[in-house]
Amino acid sequence: MSDSPSDGTVVSVKDLHKSFGEREVLRGIDLEVAAGEVVCVIGPSGSGKSTLLRCVNLLEQPSSGRIDVLGVEVTDPDVDIDRVRTHVGMVFQQFNLFGHKSVLENCTMAQRGVLRRSKGEAERVALANLERVGLADRAHAVPGQLSGGQQQRVAIARALSMDPQLMLFDEPTSALDPELVGDVLGVMRDLADAGMTMIVVTHEMAFAREVGDRVVFMDDGLVVESGPADQVIGAPREERTQAFLQRVLDPTHQHPQG
Amino acid sequence: MTTAPQTLQMPPGRRRTSPRTRARITRVVQYVVLAAAVLAVVTLTDWSNVTTQLFDPAVAAELASRMPMGLWNTVKYTLGAFAVGLPLGALLAFMKLSSVPAYRWIATAYIEFFRGIPALLVVLSVGFAVPIAFGVNIPSMLAKASIALGVVSSAYIAETLRAGIQAVPRGQIEAARSLGMSHGRTLVQVVMPQAFRIVLPPLTNEIILLTKDTSLVFLLGMQVAEYELTKIGRDALSTAQGGLTALFVAGACYLIITLPLGQLTRWLERRTAAKGRGK
C-alpha cells in the first residue's frame, strides 16, 4: 500500500452517497485523483464538499458507493482505516491542534505512537516540517500562544510529519483573519509545487485557479462541473457554476436571481 | 459635510431623571435596606444567652485541644472515600460511554440509585445491612467510612467525569484519528488529559461535599480514637457546659478544611477559563 497503484490513481470515488438522517448530502459523487494532482473543490455552503472530503478518510461513514484510497478500498467494512489514515494527512478549518501539548509534541505524538519512531527521529522530522512551514522557532510554544495562521501552519506540519501520500484540506483558511490567509496558502502552494497529491475544499478562488490542476464545482450533493482550473473558474459551462462564481467574485453586484 | 448639525429630538413630556441618577438612588436604597436588616438582627439577639449557651469562649478553648484529632479523622475519612469514589466513578463513567448497551444500563442504574437515596441510608446499610447480608464484618472504621461514602460519591464523580470527557471538542478526536491514532490511543493521549483539566474544579467541589458527608459516619458507632469532628461536637454537647458551643466549634473546624478547598476550586476554574480563551 505504500506504493501507489500502477495507474497512478490515489483516490477513486464511485457513486458515493451520504445521508444524515433524512437529508441526503451526497447524491452520487464520482471523482478520481491522480498522483501529484491538486484538486480544488468549490461550491456553496451545504453543497456537500466537506462531507465528500471527510468520507475519503472515513471521518464520515459513506451510506453507499465505493471509495479507494492508495489502492485500499476504505468502504470495505473490514478495512484497517487507521493504517490508511497514517498515509493521508488532514487539515481542518478549526486547526484542531492538541491544546495540552506543545507545537513540537503536536507533531511527534502520532509519529511516535503510530509509526513507532524514536523520540529523536520524530523530533527531527517534526522540526524539518516546522521549518518547512516557517515555524521551527515556535516549536516549544503551546497552540494557545499562536495566531490562527500559525496554528494552521503547525497543523499542516503535524500532518506532513507522518509522511503522507495524500493531503486533505477542509477549508483551511476559512477561520482565519484575512491578513493571515496568505501565509497558509503560501505553504500549501509550496506543498503543491513539491508534488504532493492534494484535495482542497476552499473558497479561495484565486488559489484554486493558480494552484489547482483541476477544479470540481459541487452543488446540492452533486458534481456539477469538473475540469481544468482555468476553464471551470475562468469560463464555466454550467449555469449554476456561473451564478456561484458571480456571487463569489463580485459579491456587491446586484444579480437578477438575488 | 455641509449639513447643519442635527439636535436629538426628545419625545415631549416630563423631563426624566438621568439613568445615572436613578442607578445612584437604587444603590442608596439597597444600602439602607442592608443596614436596617443588620441592625434588626443585632438588636433582636439575646447577647447574654448567646455567650453562655451558643458560644462560651471558655468551653470553646477547652474543646479546641480535642479538635486536631477530629480534624485528622475527618480528613482521613474524606480522602479514604475519595480514593474509593474516584476509581469507581471513572469505571462508571467509561461504562456509561461504552458502546455495549448493558454496561450503559448498569452504570445508569447505579448512578441514578445512589444519587437518588440519602447518603445516610447508605452509611447505615454498609454498617449494618452488609454484614448481615454477606456475612462480612468490615473491621476498620476507615474502611467502613471509605466504602459507604465512596460508593455514594462515585455516582456523582461518574457524572462529572462523563461530562468532562464529552466536553473535549469533537475536532480534537477527529484530528487524532486522522493521524492514524486508534480509538484507545486517542482516548488516553488526547481526550483524557484534556478532560482531566476540565473536571478538576468540579472534582475539588466533590471533595468539599465529601468532607461534610463524613459527619454521617458517627452513626456506625466508633472508638474515641476514631472520632471525627461531628462526633466530638455531639459528645461535648451532652457532657460539657456552654450549651451548643461544641456545635459551633465543630462547624468552624469544617470551615478550616472547606474554605481553602473552595478557594482552590475557584482558582482552578479561573485557570481553566483562561486556557479556554487562549485556544
Side-chain angles (χ1 to χ4, degrees):
Chain A
M1 116 163 220
S2 52
D3 50 335
S4 297
S6 51
D7 63 350
T9 304
V10 175
V11 179
S12 155
V13 177
K14 288 196 184 73
D15 196 28
L16 173 64
H17 290 254
K18 171 67 185 175
S19 301
F20 292 106
E22 293 286 289
R23 205 160 53 89
E24 194 172 28
V25 178
L26 298 178
R27 304 191 294 143
I29 302 280
D30 293 284
L31 181 70
E32 300 251 318
V33 180
E37 200 178 15
V38 176
V39 175
C40 291
V41 185
I42 62 170
S45 54
S47 58
K49 19 182 226 309
S50 286
T51 306
L52 165 63
L53 197 71
R54 292 161 59 86
C55 280
V56 170
N57 68 350
L58 241 54
L59 284 184
E60 300 292 352
Q61 189 66 45
S63 303
S64 71
R66 176 179 169 137
I67 302 175
D68 291 86
V69 177
L70 298 163
V72 177
E73 186 194 347
V74 298
T75 37
D76 175 353
D78 284 323
V79 69
D80 181 357
I81 190 61
D82 289 344
R83 192 156 156 259
V84 177
R85 283 171 177 160
T86 312
H87 302 271
V88 180
M90 181 149 192
V91 175
F92 300 86
Q93 183 177 351
Q94 297 296 339
F95 333 134
N96 297 348
L97 293 181
F98 306 130
H100 62 302
K101 294 287 185 187
S102 73
V103 164
L104 187 64
E105 289 167 324
N106 263 276
C107 298
T108 57
M109 186 194 283
Q111 284 192 72
R112 300 194 60 198
V114 180
L115 301 181
R116 300 278 165 210
R117 286 178 182 160
S118 71
K119 186 163 189 271
E121 163 84 352
E123 289 186 350
R124 195 185 55 72
V125 173
L127 283 169
N129 282 301
L130 286 170
E131 184 70 46
R132 195 169 176 182
V133 301
L135 287 170
D137 56 326
R138 303 309 305 273
H140 298 286
V142 291
Q145 298 168 325
L146 303 180
S147 74
Q150 290 174 326
Q151 289 192 48
Q152 192 62 297
R153 285 187 281 153
V154 171
I156 294 172
R158 174 175 71 178
L160 290 177
S161 294
M162 301 295 284
D163 298 325
Q165 291 169 265
L166 166 68
M167 286 286 288
L168 308 174
F169 291 86
D170 188 3
E171 300 196 23
T173 58
S174 296
L176 298 177
D177 291 333
E179 76 272 22
L180 304 175
V181 168
D183 290 342
V184 172
L185 291 182
V187 167
M188 290 167 63
R189 178 193 301 263
D190 292 346
L191 204 52
D193 291 345
M196 178 65 75
T197 312
M198 295 162 59
I199 306 179
V200 185
V201 170
T202 187
H203 291 292
E204 299 290 335
M205 294 306 144
F207 175 86
R209 188 164 186 174
E210 287 166 36
V211 180
D213 297 310
R214 196 146 55 88
V215 168
V216 173
F217 173 72
M218 281 180 67
D219 192 14
D220 201 18
L222 292 168
V223 171
V224 176
E225 187 165 356
S226 165
D230 269 333
Q231 182 219 303
V232 175
I233 295 179
R237 293 197 192 115
E238 299 291 328
E239 202 177 304
R240 275 193 284 179
T241 318
Q242 291 165 6
F244 170 76
L245 285 168
Q246 245 181 0
R247 281 199 302 275
V248 171
L249 299 174
D250 189 12
T252 50
H253 190 260
Q254 290 284 319
H255 301 292
Q257 286 96 340
Chain B
M1 283 297 182
T2 53
T3 49
Q6 300 232 332
T7 38
L8 191 61
Q9 292 297 310
M10 297 294 277
R14 157 177 97 82
R15 198 192 151 91
R16 306 195 318 153
T17 49
S18 75
R20 191 168 73 124
T21 311
R22 269 181 287 153
R24 208 179 274 162
I25 292 169
T26 315
R27 213 173 310 127
V28 168
V29 169
Q30 290 185 57
Y31 278 120
V32 169
V33 169
L34 177 65
V38 170
L39 196 66
V41 170
V42 170
T43 50
L44 290 174
T45 306
D46 182 347
W47 288 104
S48 63
N49 262 341
V50 165
T51 47
T52 56
Q53 296 297 310
L54 295 187
F55 195 84
D56 184 335
V59 175
E62 192 268 321
L63 261 175
S65 64
R66 297 168 57 194
M67 283 304 170
M69 185 195 76
L71 263 175
W72 171 234
N73 280 331
T74 295
V75 168
K76 246 169 46 183
Y77 299 150
T78 305
L79 293 181
F82 193 67
V84 172
L86 186 62
L88 193 55
L91 178 68
L92 286 163
F94 283 126
M95 284 172 74
K96 196 143 189 201
L97 295 170
S98 166
S99 55
V100 180
Y103 281 137
R104 292 201 301 272
W105 297 331
I106 293 169
T108 305
Y110 180 100
I111 291 166
E112 294 304 322
F113 180 78
F114 282 105
R115 288 204 306 179
I117 61 169
L120 183 70
L121 296 187
V122 181
V123 171
L124 290 174
S125 302
V126 169
F128 305 112
V130 168
I132 296 170
F134 298 102
V136 288
N137 211 355
I138 305 163
S140 90
M141 191 62 217
L142 175 61
K144 272 193 273 195
S146 302
I147 292 168
L149 296 177
V151 158
V152 177
S153 70
S154 68
Y156 293 91
I157 290 173
E159 282 294 272
T160 304
L161 294 180
R162 182 195 54 76
I165 290 169
Q166 289 184 325
V168 175
R170 177 98 205 122
Q172 294 285 307
I173 299 166
E174 289 183 348
R177 297 304 306 272
S178 77
L179 289 164
M181 291 168 68
S182 66
H183 181 77
R185 184 175 292 281
T186 301
L187 194 64
V188 171
Q189 289 198 293
V190 175
V191 178
M192 292 304 286
Q194 299 190 71
F196 181 69
R197 286 187 184 181
I198 296 170
V199 300
L200 258 187
L203 274 189
T204 317
N205 200 43
E206 185 56 37
I207 297 179
I208 295 177
L209 298 178
L210 262 179
T211 306
K212 295 187 290 177
D213 279 354
T214 55
S215 64
L216 299 171
V217 300
F218 77 89
L219 290 161
L220 300 173
M222 35 171 70
Q223 314 277 323
V224 175
E226 296 163 345
Y227 281 12
E228 42 68 57
L229 293 171
T230 301
K231 178 64 177 167
I232 292 175
R234 275 178 58 93
D235 265 25
L237 276 189
S238 46
T239 56
Q241 305 280 314
L244 299 171
T245 303
L247 287 189
F248 284 85
V249 174
C253 288
Y254 279 107
L255 290 177
I256 292 173
I257 305 172
T258 54
L259 288 183
L261 282 175
Q263 286 286 340
L264 179 64
T265 309
R266 278 189 293 282
W267 180 75
L268 290 169
E269 270 169 2
R270 273 202 305 276
R271 209 188 55 156
T272 311
K275 281 267 159 50
R277 275 197 303 276
K279 192 177 171 297

